[in-house]
Coordinates of all heavy atoms in Angstrom, one line a residue:
M169 N 30.5 11.3 13.5 CA 30.0 10.1 13.0 C 30.9 9.7 11.8 O 31.2 10.5 11.0 CB 28.5 10.3 12.5 CG 27.9 9.0 11.9 SD 26.2 9.2 11.4 CE 25.4 9.1 13.0
A170 N 31.2 8.5 11.7 CA 32.1 8.0 10.6 C 31.3 8.0 9.3 O 30.1 7.9 9.3 CB 32.6 6.6 11.0
K171 N 32.1 8.0 8.2 CA 31.5 8.1 6.9 C 30.7 6.8 6.7 O 29.6 6.8 6.1 CB 32.5 8.2 5.8 CG 32.0 8.3 4.4 CD 33.0 8.5 3.4 CE 32.4 8.6 2.0 NZ 33.3 8.9 1.0
K172 N 31.2 5.6 7.1 CA 30.5 4.4 6.9 C 29.1 4.4 7.6 O 28.1 3.9 7.1 CB 31.3 3.2 7.5 CG 30.7 1.9 7.2 CD 31.5 0.7 7.7 CE 30.8 -0.6 7.4 NZ 31.6 -1.7 7.9
D173 N 29.0 5.0 8.8 CA 27.8 5.1 9.6 C 26.8 6.0 8.8 O 25.6 5.6 8.7 CB 28.0 5.7 10.9 CG 28.7 4.7 11.9 OD1 28.8 3.5 11.6 OD2 29.3 5.2 12.9
K174 N 27.2 7.1 8.2 CA 26.4 7.9 7.4 C 25.8 7.2 6.2 O 24.7 7.3 5.9 CB 27.1 9.2 7.0 CG 27.3 10.2 8.1 CD 28.0 11.4 7.7 CE 28.3 12.4 8.8 NZ 29.0 13.6 8.4
T175 N 26.7 6.5 5.5 CA 26.3 5.7 4.4 C 25.3 4.6 4.7 O 24.3 4.5 4.1 CB 27.5 5.0 3.7 OG1 28.5 6.0 3.4 CG2 27.2 4.3 2.4
T176 N 25.5 3.9 5.8 CA 24.6 2.9 6.3 C 23.3 3.5 6.7 O 22.2 3.0 6.3 CB 25.2 2.2 7.5 OG1 26.5 1.6 7.1 CG2 24.3 1.1 8.0
D177 N 23.3 4.7 7.4 CA 22.1 5.4 7.7 C 21.3 5.8 6.5 O 20.1 5.7 6.5 CB 22.4 6.6 8.6 CG 22.8 6.2 10.0 OD1 22.6 5.0 10.4 OD2 23.3 7.1 10.8
A178 N 22.0 6.3 5.5 CA 21.4 6.8 4.3 C 20.7 5.6 3.5 O 19.6 5.7 3.0 CB 22.4 7.5 3.4
A179 N 21.4 4.5 3.5 CA 20.9 3.3 2.8 C 19.7 2.8 3.6 O 18.7 2.4 3.0 CB 22.0 2.2 2.7
R180 N 19.7 2.8 4.9 CA 18.6 2.3 5.7 C 17.4 3.2 5.5 O 16.3 2.8 5.4 CB 19.1 2.3 7.2 CG 18.1 1.7 8.1 CD 18.8 1.5 9.5 NE 17.8 1.4 10.5 CZ 17.1 0.4 10.9 NH1 17.2 -0.7 10.2 NH2 16.2 0.4 11.9
E181 N 17.6 4.5 5.5 CA 16.5 5.5 5.2 C 15.9 5.3 3.9 O 14.7 5.3 3.7 CB 17.0 6.9 5.4 CG 16.0 8.0 5.2 CD 14.8 7.9 6.2 OE1 14.9 7.3 7.2 OE2 13.7 8.4 5.8
K182 N 16.8 5.1 2.9 CA 16.2 4.9 1.5 C 15.4 3.6 1.4 O 14.3 3.6 0.8 CB 17.4 4.8 0.5 CG 16.9 4.7 -0.9 CD 18.1 4.8 -1.9 CE 17.7 4.6 -3.3 NZ 17.3 5.9 -4.0
D183 N 15.9 2.6 2.1 CA 15.1 1.3 2.1 C 13.8 1.5 2.9 O 12.8 1.0 2.4 CB 15.9 0.2 2.8 CG 15.3 -1.2 2.7 OD1 14.9 -1.5 1.6 OD2 15.1 -1.8 3.8
R184 N 13.8 2.3 3.9 CA 12.6 2.6 4.7 C 11.6 3.3 3.8 O 10.4 3.0 3.8 CB 12.9 3.4 5.9 CG 11.6 3.6 6.8 CD 11.9 4.7 7.9 NE 11.9 6.0 7.3 CZ 10.9 6.7 6.8 NH1 9.7 6.2 6.9 NH2 11.1 7.9 6.3
E185 N 12.1 4.3 3.1 CA 11.2 5.1 2.2 C 10.6 4.2 1.1 O 9.5 4.4 0.7 CB 12.0 6.2 1.6 CG 12.3 7.3 2.6 CD 13.2 8.4 2.0 OE1 13.6 8.3 0.8 OE2 13.6 9.3 2.8
K186 N 11.4 3.3 0.5 CA 10.9 2.4 -0.5 C 9.9 1.5 0.1 O 8.8 1.2 -0.6 CB 12.1 1.5 -1.1 CG 13.0 2.3 -2.0 CD 14.2 1.6 -2.4 CE 13.9 0.4 -3.3 NZ 15.2 -0.3 -3.8
W187 N 10.1 1.0 1.3 CA 9.1 0.1 1.9 C 7.8 0.9 2.1 O 6.7 0.4 1.8 CB 9.6 -0.4 3.3 CG 8.8 -1.5 3.9 CD1 9.0 -2.8 3.8 CD2 7.6 -1.3 4.7 NE1 8.0 -3.5 4.5 CE2 7.1 -2.6 5.0 CE3 6.8 -0.2 5.1 CZ2 6.0 -2.8 5.8 CZ3 5.7 -0.4 5.8 CH2 5.3 -1.7 6.2
M188 N 7.8 2.1 2.6 CA 6.6 2.9 2.8 C 5.9 3.2 1.5 O 4.7 3.2 1.4 CB 7.0 4.2 3.5 CG 7.5 4.0 5.0 SD 6.2 3.4 6.1 CE 5.2 4.9 6.3
A189 N 6.7 3.5 0.5 CA 6.1 3.8 -0.8 C 5.3 2.6 -1.4 O 4.2 2.7 -1.9 CB 7.1 4.3 -1.8
R190 N 6.0 1.4 -1.2 CA 5.4 0.2 -1.7 C 4.1 -0.1 -0.9 O 3.1 -0.5 -1.5 CB 6.4 -1.0 -1.5 CG 5.9 -2.3 -1.9 CD 6.0 -2.6 -3.3 NE 5.6 -3.9 -3.7 CZ 5.9 -4.5 -4.7 NH1 6.7 -3.9 -5.6 NH2 5.4 -5.7 -5.0
L191 N 4.1 0.1 0.4 CA 2.9 -0.1 1.2 C 1.8 0.8 0.7 O 0.7 0.4 0.5 CB 3.2 0.2 2.7 CG 2.0 0.3 3.6 CD1 1.3 -1.0 3.7 CD2 2.3 0.9 5.0
Q192 N 2.1 2.1 0.5 CA 1.1 3.0 0.1 C 0.4 2.7 -1.3 O -0.8 2.7 -1.4 CB 1.6 4.4 0.0 CG 2.0 5.0 1.4 CD 2.7 6.3 1.3 OE1 2.1 7.3 0.7 NE2 3.9 6.4 1.8
V193 N 1.3 2.3 -2.2 CA 0.8 1.9 -3.6 C -0.1 0.6 -3.4 O -1.2 0.6 -4.0 CB 1.9 1.6 -4.5 CG1 1.5 1.0 -5.8 CG2 2.6 3.0 -4.9
R194 N 0.4 -0.4 -2.8 CA -0.3 -1.7 -2.6 C -1.6 -1.5 -1.8 O -2.6 -2.1 -2.1 CB 0.5 -2.7 -2.0 CG 1.7 -3.2 -2.9 CD 1.1 -3.7 -4.2 NE 2.2 -4.4 -4.9 CZ 2.0 -5.0 -6.0 NH1 0.8 -5.1 -6.6 NH2 3.0 -5.6 -6.6
L195 N -1.5 -0.6 -0.8 CA -2.7 -0.4 0.0 C -3.8 0.3 -0.8 O -5.0 0.0 -0.8 CB -2.4 0.4 1.2 CG -3.4 0.6 2.3 CD1 -4.0 -0.7 2.7 CD2 -2.8 1.4 3.5
A196 N -3.4 1.3 -1.6 CA -4.3 2.1 -2.5 C -5.0 1.2 -3.5 O -6.1 1.5 -4.0 CB -3.6 3.2 -3.2
M197 N -4.4 0.0 -3.8 CA -5.0 -0.9 -4.8 C -6.0 -1.8 -4.2 O -6.7 -2.5 -4.9 CB -3.8 -1.7 -5.4 CG -2.9 -0.9 -6.3 SD -1.4 -1.8 -6.8 CE -2.1 -3.1 -7.8
Q198 N -6.1 -1.8 -2.9 CA -7.0 -2.7 -2.2 C -8.5 -2.2 -2.3 O -8.7 -1.0 -2.2 CB -6.6 -2.9 -0.7 CG -5.3 -3.5 -0.5 CD -5.2 -4.9 -1.2 OE1 -6.0 -5.8 -1.0 NE2 -4.1 -5.0 -2.0
P199 N -9.4 -3.1 -2.4 CA -10.8 -2.6 -2.6 C -11.3 -1.8 -1.4 O -11.1 -2.2 -0.2 CB -11.6 -4.0 -2.7 CG -10.6 -5.0 -3.1 CD -9.3 -4.5 -2.5
G200 N -11.9 -0.7 -1.7 CA -12.5 0.1 -0.6 C -11.5 1.1 0.1 O -11.9 1.9 0.9
V201 N -10.3 1.0 -0.2 CA -9.3 1.9 0.4 C -9.3 3.3 -0.2 O -9.4 3.4 -1.4 CB -7.8 1.3 0.3 CG1 -6.8 2.3 0.7 CG2 -7.7 0.0 1.1
D202 N -9.4 4.2 0.7 CA -9.4 5.6 0.3 C -8.2 6.3 0.9 O -7.4 5.7 1.6 CB -10.7 6.3 0.7 CG -11.0 6.3 2.2 OD1 -10.1 6.0 3.0 OD2 -12.1 6.7 2.5
R203 N -8.1 7.6 0.7 CA -6.9 8.4 1.2 C -6.8 8.3 2.7 O -5.7 8.2 3.2 CB -7.1 9.8 0.7 CG -5.9 10.7 1.0 CD -6.1 12.1 0.4 NE -4.9 12.9 0.5 CZ -4.8 13.8 1.5 NH1 -5.8 14.0 2.4 NH2 -3.7 14.5 1.6
A204 N -7.9 8.4 3.4 CA -7.9 8.3 4.8 C -7.3 7.0 5.4 O -6.5 7.0 6.4 CB -9.3 8.5 5.4
V205 N -7.6 5.9 4.7 CA -7.1 4.6 5.1 C -5.5 4.6 4.9 O -4.8 4.2 5.8 CB -7.7 3.5 4.4 CG1 -7.0 2.1 4.6 CG2 -9.2 3.4 4.8
V206 N -5.1 5.1 3.8 CA -3.7 5.1 3.5 C -2.9 6.0 4.5 O -1.9 5.6 5.1 CB -3.4 5.6 2.0 CG1 -1.9 5.8 1.8 CG2 -4.0 4.6 1.0
L207 N -3.5 7.2 4.8 CA -2.9 8.1 5.7 C -2.8 7.5 7.1 O -1.8 7.6 7.8 CB -3.6 9.4 5.7 CG -3.5 10.3 4.5 CD1 -4.3 11.5 4.6 CD2 -2.0 10.7 4.2
Q208 N -3.9 6.8 7.5 CA -3.9 6.1 8.8 C -2.8 5.1 8.9 O -2.1 5.0 9.9 CB -5.3 5.5 9.1 CG -5.4 4.9 10.5 CD -5.2 5.9 11.6 OE1 -5.8 7.0 11.6 NE2 -4.3 5.7 12.6
A209 N -2.7 4.3 7.9 CA -1.7 3.2 7.9 C -0.3 3.8 8.0 O 0.6 3.3 8.7 CB -1.8 2.3 6.6
V210 N 0.0 4.9 7.2 CA 1.3 5.5 7.2 C 1.6 6.1 8.6 O 2.7 5.9 9.1 CB 1.4 6.6 6.1 CG1 2.6 7.5 6.3 CG2 1.4 6.0 4.7
K211 N 0.6 6.7 9.2 CA 0.7 7.3 10.5 C 1.0 6.2 11.5 O 1.9 6.3 12.4 CB -0.6 8.0 10.9 CG -0.6 8.6 12.3 CD -1.9 9.3 12.5 CE -2.0 9.7 14.0 NZ -3.3 10.2 14.3
D212 N 0.3 5.1 11.5 CA 0.5 3.9 12.4 C 1.9 3.4 12.3 O 2.6 3.2 13.3 CB -0.5 2.8 12.2 CG -1.9 3.2 12.5 OD1 -2.1 4.3 13.2 OD2 -2.8 2.5 12.1
V213 N 2.4 3.1 11.0 CA 3.7 2.6 10.8 C 4.8 3.5 11.3 O 5.7 3.2 12.0 CB 3.9 2.2 9.4 CG1 5.4 1.8 9.1 CG2 3.0 1.0 9.0
T214 N 4.6 4.8 10.9 CA 5.6 5.8 11.2 C 5.7 6.0 12.8 O 6.8 6.0 13.3 CB 5.2 7.2 10.6 OG1 5.2 7.0 9.2 CG2 6.3 8.2 10.9
A215 N 4.6 6.0 13.4 CA 4.6 6.2 14.9 C 5.3 5.0 15.6 O 6.1 5.1 16.5 CB 3.2 6.4 15.4
H216 N 4.9 3.8 15.1 CA 5.5 2.6 15.7 C 7.1 2.6 15.5 O 7.8 2.3 16.4 CB 4.9 1.3 15.1 CG 5.6 0.1 15.5 ND1 5.2 -0.6 16.7 CD2 6.6 -0.7 15.0 CE1 6.0 -1.6 16.9 NE2 6.9 -1.7 15.9
C217 N 7.5 2.9 14.3 CA 8.9 2.8 14.0 C 9.7 3.9 14.7 O 10.8 3.7 15.2 CB 9.1 2.9 12.5 SG 8.6 1.4 11.6
A218 N 9.0 5.1 14.9 CA 9.7 6.2 15.6 C 9.8 5.8 17.1 O 10.8 6.1 17.7 CB 8.9 7.5 15.5
A219 N 8.8 5.1 17.6 CA 8.8 4.8 19.1 C 9.8 3.6 19.4 O 10.4 3.6 20.4 CB 7.4 4.4 19.5
T220 N 9.9 2.7 18.4 CA 10.7 1.5 18.7 C 12.1 1.5 18.0 O 13.0 0.8 18.4 CB 10.0 0.2 18.2 OG1 9.8 0.3 16.8 CG2 8.6 0.1 18.8
G221 N 12.2 2.4 17.0 CA 13.5 2.4 16.2 C 13.6 1.2 15.2 O 14.6 1.0 14.6
E222 N 12.5 0.4 15.1 CA 12.5 -0.7 14.2 C 12.3 -0.2 12.8 O 11.7 0.8 12.5 CB 11.3 -1.6 14.5 CG 11.5 -2.5 15.7 CD 10.3 -3.4 15.8 OE1 9.2 -2.9 16.2 OE2 10.5 -4.6 15.6
H223 N 12.9 -1.0 11.8 CA 12.6 -0.8 10.4 C 11.2 -1.3 10.1 O 10.8 -2.3 10.7 CB 13.7 -1.5 9.6 CG 13.6 -1.3 8.1 ND1 12.7 -1.9 7.3 CD2 14.3 -0.5 7.3 CE1 12.8 -1.5 6.1 NE2 13.8 -0.6 6.1
P224 N 10.5 -0.7 9.3 CA 9.1 -1.2 9.0 C 9.1 -2.7 8.5 O 8.2 -3.4 8.9 CB 8.5 -0.3 7.9 CG 9.6 0.7 7.6 CD 10.7 0.5 8.5
R225 N 10.1 -3.1 7.8 CA 10.1 -4.5 7.4 C 10.3 -5.5 8.6 O 9.6 -6.5 8.6 CB 11.2 -4.8 6.4 CG 11.2 -6.2 5.8 CD 12.2 -6.4 4.7 NE 12.2 -5.4 3.6 CZ 11.3 -5.4 2.6 NH1 10.4 -6.3 2.6 NH2 11.3 -4.5 1.7
A226 N 11.1 -5.1 9.5 CA 11.3 -5.9 10.7 C 10.0 -5.9 11.6 O 9.6 -6.9 12.2 CB 12.4 -5.4 11.6
A227 N 9.3 -4.8 11.6 CA 8.1 -4.7 12.5 C 6.8 -5.2 11.8 O 6.0 -5.9 12.5 CB 7.9 -3.2 12.8
F228 N 6.7 -5.1 10.5 CA 5.5 -5.4 9.8 C 5.6 -6.4 8.7 O 4.6 -6.8 8.1 CB 4.8 -4.1 9.3 CG 4.5 -3.1 10.3 CD1 5.4 -2.0 10.5 CD2 3.4 -3.2 11.2 CE1 5.1 -1.1 11.5 CE2 3.2 -2.3 12.2 CZ 4.0 -1.3 12.4
G229 N 6.8 -6.8 8.3 CA 7.0 -7.7 7.3 C 7.0 -7.1 5.9 O 7.2 -6.0 5.7
D230 N 6.5 -8.0 4.9 CA 6.4 -7.6 3.5 C 5.4 -6.5 3.4 O 4.3 -6.7 3.9 CB 6.1 -8.8 2.7 CG 5.9 -8.5 1.3 OD1 6.9 -8.2 0.6 OD2 4.7 -8.6 0.8
P231 N 5.7 -5.4 2.6 CA 4.7 -4.3 2.5 C 3.4 -4.8 1.7 O 2.3 -4.3 2.0 CB 5.5 -3.2 1.8 CG 6.6 -3.9 1.1 CD 6.9 -5.1 2.0
D232 N 3.6 -5.7 0.8 CA 2.4 -6.2 0.0 C 1.4 -6.9 1.0 O 0.2 -6.7 1.0 CB 2.8 -7.1 -1.1 CG 3.6 -6.4 -2.2 OD1 3.7 -5.1 -2.1 OD2 4.2 -7.0 -3.0
A233 N 2.0 -7.8 1.8 CA 1.1 -8.6 2.7 C 0.6 -7.7 3.8 O -0.6 -7.8 4.1 CB 2.0 -9.7 3.3
Y234 N 1.3 -6.7 4.2 CA 0.9 -5.8 5.3 C -0.3 -4.9 4.7 O -1.2 -4.6 5.4 CB 2.0 -5.0 5.9 CG 1.5 -4.2 7.0 CD1 1.1 -4.8 8.2 CD2 1.5 -2.8 7.0 CE1 0.7 -4.1 9.3 CE2 1.0 -2.0 8.0 CZ 0.6 -2.7 9.2 OH 0.2 -1.9 10.3
A235 N -0.2 -4.6 3.4 CA -1.2 -3.8 2.8 C -2.6 -4.5 2.8 O -3.6 -4.0 3.1 CB -0.8 -3.4 1.4
V236 N -2.5 -5.8 2.5 CA -3.7 -6.6 2.5 C -4.3 -6.7 3.9 O -5.5 -6.5 4.1 CB -3.4 -8.0 1.9 CG1 -4.6 -9.0 2.1 CG2 -3.1 -7.9 0.4
Q237 N -3.4 -7.0 4.9 CA -3.9 -7.1 6.3 C -4.4 -5.7 6.8 O -5.5 -5.7 7.5 CB -2.7 -7.4 7.2 CG -2.1 -8.8 7.0 CD -0.8 -9.0 7.7 OE1 -0.3 -8.1 8.3 NE2 -0.2 -10.1 7.5
T238 N -3.8 -4.6 6.4 CA -4.2 -3.3 6.9 C -5.6 -3.0 6.2 O -6.5 -2.5 6.9 CB -3.2 -2.3 6.5 OG1 -2.0 -2.6 7.1 CG2 -3.6 -0.9 6.9
A239 N -5.8 -3.3 5.0 CA -7.1 -3.0 4.3 C -8.2 -3.8 5.0 O -9.2 -3.3 5.3 CB -7.0 -3.3 2.8
A240 N -7.9 -5.1 5.3 CA -8.9 -5.9 6.0 C -9.2 -5.4 7.4 O -10.4 -5.5 7.8 CB -8.3 -7.3 6.1
R241 N -8.3 -4.7 8.0 CA -8.5 -4.2 9.4 C -9.2 -2.8 9.3 O -10.0 -2.5 10.2 CB -7.1 -4.1 10.1 CG -7.2 -3.5 11.5 CD -5.8 -3.6 12.2 NE -4.7 -3.1 11.4 CZ -4.3 -1.8 11.4 NH1 -4.9 -0.9 12.2 NH2 -3.2 -1.5 10.7
L242 N -8.8 -2.0 8.4 CA -9.3 -0.6 8.4 C -10.5 -0.3 7.5 O -11.1 0.7 7.6 CB -8.1 0.4 8.0 CG -7.0 0.4 9.0 CD1 -5.9 1.4 8.4 CD2 -7.4 0.9 10.3
V243 N -10.8 -1.2 6.5 CA -11.9 -0.9 5.6 C -13.1 -1.8 6.0 O -13.0 -3.0 6.1 CB -11.5 -1.3 4.1 CG1 -12.7 -1.1 3.2 CG2 -10.3 -0.5 3.7
P244 N -14.2 -1.1 6.2 CA -15.4 -1.9 6.6 C -15.7 -2.9 5.5 O -15.6 -2.6 4.3 CB -16.5 -0.8 6.7 CG -15.8 0.5 6.9 CD -14.4 0.3 6.2
A245 N -16.2 -4.1 5.9 CA -16.4 -5.2 4.9 C -17.4 -4.8 3.9 O -17.2 -5.1 2.7 CB -16.9 -6.4 5.7
D246 N -18.5 -4.1 4.2 CA -19.5 -3.7 3.2 C -18.9 -2.8 2.1 O -19.2 -2.9 1.0 CB -20.7 -3.1 3.8 CG -20.5 -1.8 4.6 OD1 -19.4 -1.7 5.2 OD2 -21.4 -1.0 4.7
R247 N -18.0 -1.8 2.6 CA -17.4 -0.9 1.6 C -16.4 -1.7 0.7 O -16.4 -1.4 -0.5 CB -16.6 0.2 2.3 CG -16.1 1.2 1.4 CD -15.7 2.5 2.1 NE -14.3 2.3 2.6 CZ -13.7 3.1 3.4 NH1 -14.3 4.1 4.0 NH2 -12.4 2.9 3.8
A248 N -15.7 -2.6 1.2 CA -14.8 -3.4 0.4 C -15.6 -4.3 -0.6 O -15.2 -4.4 -1.8 CB -13.9 -4.3 1.3
T249 N -16.7 -4.8 -0.2 CA -17.5 -5.6 -1.1 C -18.1 -4.8 -2.2 O -18.0 -5.2 -3.4 CB -18.7 -6.3 -0.3 OG1 -18.1 -7.1 0.7 CG2 -19.6 -7.1 -1.2
R250 N -18.6 -3.6 -1.9 CA -19.1 -2.7 -2.9 C -18.0 -2.3 -3.9 O -18.2 -2.3 -5.1 CB -19.7 -1.4 -2.3 CG -21.1 -1.6 -1.7 CD -21.7 -0.2 -1.4 NE -20.9 0.7 -0.6 CZ -20.8 0.7 0.7 NH1 -21.5 -0.1 1.4 NH2 -20.1 1.6 1.3
A251 N -16.8 -2.0 -3.4 CA -15.7 -1.7 -4.3 C -15.3 -2.8 -5.2 O -15.1 -2.6 -6.4 CB -14.5 -1.2 -3.4
R252 N -15.3 -4.0 -4.7 CA -15.0 -5.2 -5.5 C -16.0 -5.4 -6.6 O -15.7 -5.6 -7.8 CB -14.9 -6.5 -4.7 CG -13.5 -6.7 -4.1 CD -13.3 -8.1 -3.5 NE -14.0 -8.3 -2.2 CZ -13.5 -7.9 -1.1 NH1 -12.4 -7.2 -1.0 NH2 -14.2 -8.1 0.0
R253 N -17.3 -5.2 -6.2 CA -18.4 -5.3 -7.2 C -18.3 -4.3 -8.3 O -18.4 -4.5 -9.5 CB -19.7 -5.2 -6.5 CG -20.9 -5.6 -7.3 CD -22.2 -5.6 -6.6 NE -22.1 -6.2 -5.2 CZ -22.5 -5.6 -4.1 NH1 -23.0 -4.4 -4.1 NH2 -22.4 -6.2 -2.9
H254 N -18.0 -3.0 -7.8 CA -17.8 -1.9 -8.8 C -16.6 -2.2 -9.7 O -16.8 -2.0 -10.9 CB -17.6 -0.6 -8.0 CG -17.4 0.6 -8.9 ND1 -16.1 1.0 -9.2 CD2 -18.2 1.4 -9.6 CE1 -16.2 2.0 -10.0 NE2 -17.4 2.3 -10.2
D255 N -15.5 -2.6 -9.2 CA -14.3 -2.9 -10.0 C -14.6 -4.0 -11.0 O -14.2 -3.9 -12.2 CB -13.1 -3.3 -9.1 CG -12.6 -2.1 -8.3 OD1 -13.0 -0.9 -8.5 OD2 -11.8 -2.4 -7.4
G256 N -15.4 -5.0 -10.6 CA -15.7 -6.1 -11.5 C -16.6 -5.6 -12.7 O -16.4 -6.0 -13.8
M257 N -17.5 -4.7 -12.3 CA -18.4 -4.1 -13.4 C -17.6 -3.3 -14.4 O -17.8 -3.3 -15.6 CB -19.6 -3.4 -12.8 CG -20.6 -4.2 -12.1 SD -22.1 -3.4 -11.6 CE -21.4 -2.4 -10.2
V258 N -16.7 -2.4 -13.8 CA -15.9 -1.6 -14.7 C -15.0 -2.4 -15.6 O -14.9 -2.1 -16.8 CB -15.0 -0.6 -13.8 CG1 -14.0 0.1 -14.6 CG2 -16.0 0.4 -13.1
N259 N -14.4 -3.5 -15.0 CA -13.5 -4.3 -15.8 C -14.3 -5.0 -16.9 O -13.9 -5.2 -18.1 CB -12.8 -5.4 -14.9 CG -11.8 -4.8 -14.1 OD1 -11.3 -3.7 -14.4 ND2 -11.4 -5.5 -13.0
A260 N -15.6 -5.5 -16.6 CA -16.4 -6.2 -17.6 C -16.8 -5.2 -18.7 O -16.8 -5.6 -19.9 CB -17.6 -6.7 -16.9
L261 N -17.1 -4.0 -18.3 CA -17.5 -3.0 -19.3 C -16.3 -2.6 -20.2 O -16.4 -2.6 -21.4 CB -18.0 -1.7 -18.6 CG -18.4 -0.5 -19.5 CD1 -19.5 -1.0 -20.5 CD2 -18.8 0.7 -18.7
G262 N -15.1 -2.5 -19.6 CA -13.9 -2.2 -20.4 C -13.6 -3.3 -21.3 O -13.3 -3.1 -22.5
S263 N -13.8 -4.5 -20.9 CA -13.5 -5.7 -21.8 C -14.5 -5.7 -22.9 O -14.2 -6.0 -24.1 CB -13.6 -7.0 -20.9 OG -13.4 -8.1 -21.7
A264 N -15.8 -5.5 -22.6 CA -16.8 -5.5 -23.7 C -16.6 -4.3 -24.7 O -16.7 -4.6 -25.9 CB -18.2 -5.3 -23.0
L265 N -16.2 -3.2 -24.2 CA -15.9 -2.1 -25.1 C -14.7 -2.4 -26.0 O -14.6 -2.1 -27.2 CB -15.6 -0.8 -24.3 CG -16.9 -0.2 -23.7 CD1 -16.5 1.0 -22.8 CD2 -17.9 0.3 -24.7
K266 N -13.7 -3.1 -25.4 CA -12.5 -3.4 -26.2 C -12.9 -4.4 -27.3 O -12.5 -4.3 -28.4 CB -11.4 -4.1 -25.3 CG -10.2 -4.4 -26.1 CD -9.1 -5.0 -25.2 CE -7.9 -5.4 -25.9 NZ -7.9 -5.8 -27.2
R267 N -13.7 -5.4 -26.9 CA -14.2 -6.4 -27.9 C -15.0 -5.7 -29.0 O -14.8 -6.0 -30.2 CB -15.0 -7.5 -27.3 CG -14.1 -8.5 -26.5 CD -14.9 -9.8 -26.2 NE -16.1 -9.5 -25.4 CZ -16.2 -9.5 -24.1 NH1 -15.1 -9.7 -23.3 NH2 -17.3 -9.3 -23.4
A268 N -15.8 -4.8 -28.6 CA -16.6 -4.1 -29.6 C -15.7 -3.3 -30.5 O -16.0 -3.2 -31.7 CB -17.7 -3.2 -28.9
G269 N -14.7 -2.7 -30.0 CA -13.8 -1.9 -30.8 C -13.0 -2.8 -31.7 O -12.7 -2.4 -32.9
D270 N -12.6 -4.0 -31.2 CA -11.9 -4.9 -32.1 C -12.8 -5.4 -33.3 O -12.3 -5.5 -34.4 CB -11.5 -6.1 -31.3 CG -10.4 -5.8 -30.3 OD1 -9.7 -4.7 -30.4 OD2 -10.1 -6.7 -29.4
V271 N -14.1 -5.6 -33.0 CA -15.0 -6.1 -34.0 C -15.2 -5.0 -35.0 O -15.2 -5.2 -36.2 CB -16.3 -6.5 -33.4 CG1 -17.4 -6.7 -34.5 CG2 -16.1 -7.8 -32.6
A272 N -15.3 -3.7 -34.5 CA -15.6 -2.6 -35.4 C -14.3 -2.1 -36.1 O -14.4 -1.3 -37.0 CB -16.2 -1.4 -34.6
G273 N -13.2 -2.7 -35.7 CA -11.9 -2.3 -36.4 C -11.3 -1.0 -35.8 O -10.6 -0.3 -36.5
L274 N -11.7 -0.6 -34.7 CA -11.3 0.6 -34.1 C -10.0 0.5 -33.4 O -9.6 -0.4 -32.8 CB -12.3 1.2 -33.1 CG -13.7 1.5 -33.8 CD1 -14.7 1.9 -32.7 CD2 -13.5 2.6 -34.8

């Protein structure tokens, strides 16, 4: 194999790894997503790319958009709704505590 081919392969593999890492981070940020959902998504993408030889970006597009689509597909709607409600309450509490700390001079 020529040196250029090895360099190209290495760059392609690094880009694939970056795409997968971005997918995992963005997916983990979606409401209701747990470890099992992230692992299933990684397994699905990896299997597809291994079978077809496609790069994940060519097969699935932008990792951020695919994370949103994957969460919508793999997370039950009621669990996502509960997670959004919980996140909203935690954010409101954090905001209230910050304001109280600011008022108290903490």
